Amino acid sequence: MALAGVRARAWAAAAKIAQRQRRAEGAERSRSPESGSQRAALYVHWPYCEKRCSYCNFNKYIPRGVEEAAMRSCLVTEAQTLLRLSGVQRVESVFFGGGTPSLASPHTVAAILEAVAQATHLPADCEVTLEANPTSAPGSRLSAFGAAGVNRLSIGLQSLNDTELQLLGRTHSASDALQTLAEARRLFPGRVSVDLMLGLPTQQVGPWLRQLKELLHHCDDHVSLYQLTLERGTTLFTQVQQGALPAPDPDLAAEMYQEGRAVLREAGFRQYEVSNFARNGALSTHNWTYWQCGQYLGIGPGAHGRFVPQEAGSHVREARIQTLEPDIWMKEVMLHGHGTRKRIPLGKLELGLRCSWEGLAVLDSLLLTLLLLLQEAWQQRALSSVPGG
């Protein structure tokens, strides 16, 4: 615990030294036409979990044991390499996602932040978010992450109904979630986000709205509403395909979403993205970078990034995807300094797709209905294409 605090102080000191060096070395470059590409967000993927949730198809692994020192070293190396290749001079935000990054040690988080601060400008007030699950984030551990440099938490609460939590394969209860949320708000006041899912099999509008209203008595100033998507290869997909569970009703999901938006609006929240709501200015800098088509670097197994590589004077932004499997990714990082598996040059259309959502903080009913119909059609096609379906 103490070591994480020492490393956080080292991050701040390293940042000041590196900033003075870059100011002397990069003054001319900062005046170039490409100066807009010198800022980026940083996503760090921790690929390990205690168990796989029934709905999740993210790149995650349930290991018998984790060689954390090796993983930490490779995350640091890849961060240094991609920061150098991108020419990024300032990191606007850092997001530790997964997987379950709250299973990593605070020492790992501090080491990555220190490496970033040495390689580029990491402002003292930079938003540093950690995703946390209630069962892996007791108060003492959250405090240690704070000492390591984390200043914002995203709690994977998902539901306040124990039956729904069991359906989702979550390891915590509603009581666990509220206890963790209270401790998180005590340690990170005004900087705690919670996730709530909607559109689950058998879920009804009234009970779900009561959950949301109950959550408003306990939450901070940022809420994310996520509709369940049945993903091929997940337990829930199989259960629905085999008839053990009913398929989610898209009409009910649409009603939950619309009613939920109204409840949040009445509670003072502003919708700034399809799934994200904030009040008191608590919108996520990291999320906003994505939705403003900003650059972001993806570090870790399976991470995605979008940036302009500078090593060959390129002016074309690329989408980059890192190798999925952690052991293979680590070998590639040790050999090449990074584990990039795919590089895709992006044209104006690809760059503009996400930007086209800017200003849709309030989706009209027609667009929402279209999205839900498309999702329903995709789910029906996927279910019918499985042998025996």
Side-chain angles (χ1 to χ4, degrees):
M1 305 294 183
L3 179 59
V6 171
R7 280 191 164 274
R9 290 191 291 274
W11 156 34
K16 291 180 181 178
I17 295 171
Q19 184 178 10
R20 286 197 295 268
Q21 291 174 339
R22 286 190 301 277
R23 195 174 289 142
E25 296 171 358
E28 191 62 34
R29 181 168 54 179
S30 68
R31 292 193 292 270
S32 73
E34 288 302 305
S35 59
S37 67
Q38 294 178 355
R39 298 169 178 245
L42 180 70
Y43 173 79
V44 182
H45 189 75
W46 179 262
Y48 304 119
C49 281
E50 292 177 313
K51 64 169 292 189
R52 183 174 290 277
C53 297
S54 64
Y55 60 93
C56 182
N57 75 335
F58 289 174
N59 186 44
K60 57 173 60 176
Y61 302 84
I62 318 300
R64 293 181 179 177
V66 176
E67 295 182 6
E68 183 162 356
M71 174 59 70
R72 175 170 56 247
S73 176
C74 288
L75 288 170
V76 165
T77 297
E78 186 166 70
Q80 293 168 331
T81 300
L82 294 188
L83 283 167
R84 184 179 71 252
L85 292 177
S86 66
V88 165
Q89 298 294 300
R90 178 187 175 97
V91 169
E92 305 277 71
S93 63
V94 182
F95 193 101
F96 290 89
T100 308
S102 51
L103 291 173
S105 72
H107 176 47
T108 291
V109 169
I112 294 167
L113 293 175
E114 183 180 344
V116 173
Q118 290 175 340
T120 190
H121 178 43
L122 188 65
D125 60 351
C126 174
E127 178 187 277
V128 180
T129 303
L130 179 88
E131 286 183 341
N133 282 346
T135 51
S136 63
S140 59
R141 193 167 182 82
L142 293 180
S143 179
F145 281 121
V150 171
N151 56 29
R152 183 176 181 273
L153 292 176
S154 179
I155 307 293
L157 185 143
Q158 312 309 357
S159 175
L160 288 178
N161 180 292
D162 285 340
T163 300
E164 290 178 356
L165 289 170
Q166 291 171 8
L167 174 69
L168 294 170
R170 304 295 287 177
T171 58
H172 66 270
S173 66
S175 176
D176 294 332
L178 292 178
Q179 183 176 347
T180 299
L181 179 55
E183 189 67 10
R185 291 188 65 190
R186 183 183 69 82
L187 293 167
F188 301 88
R191 298 180 71 85
V192 178
S193 178
V194 290
D195 299 344
L196 188 67
M197 295 185 70
L198 61 89
L200 308 185
T202 74
Q203 196 174 51
Q204 298 298 313
V205 176
W208 181 80
L209 284 174
R210 286 193 288 274
Q211 280 191 55
L212 177 58
K213 292 174 182 178
E214 172 66 16
L215 181 60
L216 290 176
H217 292 298
H218 303 276
C219 74
D220 210 331
D221 293 330
H222 194 282
V223 174
S224 298
L225 301 182
Y226 292 118
Q227 182 184 348
L228 172 70
T229 299
L230 290 177
E231 300 285 2
R232 185 185 297 274
T234 63
T235 301
L236 267 183
F237 180 95
T238 301
Q239 290 174 321
V240 171
Q241 189 271 327
Q242 294 178 346
L245 286 172
D249 186 328
D251 292 332
L252 288 181
E255 187 177 351
M256 289 177 200
Y257 180 69
Q258 293 283 39
E259 293 291 334
R261 291 171 61 211
V263 168
L264 288 170
R265 185 166 55 248
E266 187 176 345
F269 286 83
R270 179 175 71 88
Q271 184 175 11
Y272 70 95
E273 186 248 71
V274 173
S275 297
N276 289 304
F277 302 78
R279 63 186 175 189
N280 299 325
L283 74 158
S284 166
T285 299
H286 195 85
N287 286 346
W288 194 236
T289 295
Y290 292 156
W291 286 88
Q292 291 286 296
C293 302
Q295 289 198 127
Y296 55 97
L297 310 184
I299 308 300
H304 289 222
R306 291 190 171 201
F307 64 87
V308 179
Q310 301 290 314
E311 76 277 18
S314 172
H315 302 314
V316 177
R317 188 178 296 190
E318 294 180 346
R320 291 200 174 206
I321 303 173
Q322 309 310 101
T323 294
L324 291 172
E325 208 282 327
D327 290 341
I328 298 175
W329 171 82
M330 283 194 282
K331 291 177 181 177
E332 293 177 354
V333 172
M334 287 186 280
L335 281 173
H336 309 296
H338 64 88
T340 302
R341 178 56 59 93
K342 184 181 289 187
R343 298 172 61 175
I344 306 169
L346 298 174
K348 291 183 179 179
L349 176 61
E350 292 93 341
L351 288 172
L353 282 176
R354 198 148 199 174
C355 287
S356 67
W357 289 87
E358 181 184 357
L360 294 182
V362 180
L363 293 173
D364 60 47
S365 299
L366 179 61
L367 178 57
L368 175 62
T369 301
L370 175 61
L371 290 172
L372 290 167
L373 287 173
L374 287 172
Q375 182 184 43
E376 180 184 16
W378 179 89
Q379 288 180 349
Q380 291 299 326
R381 180 179 178 183
L383 289 170
S384 63
S385 66
V386 176

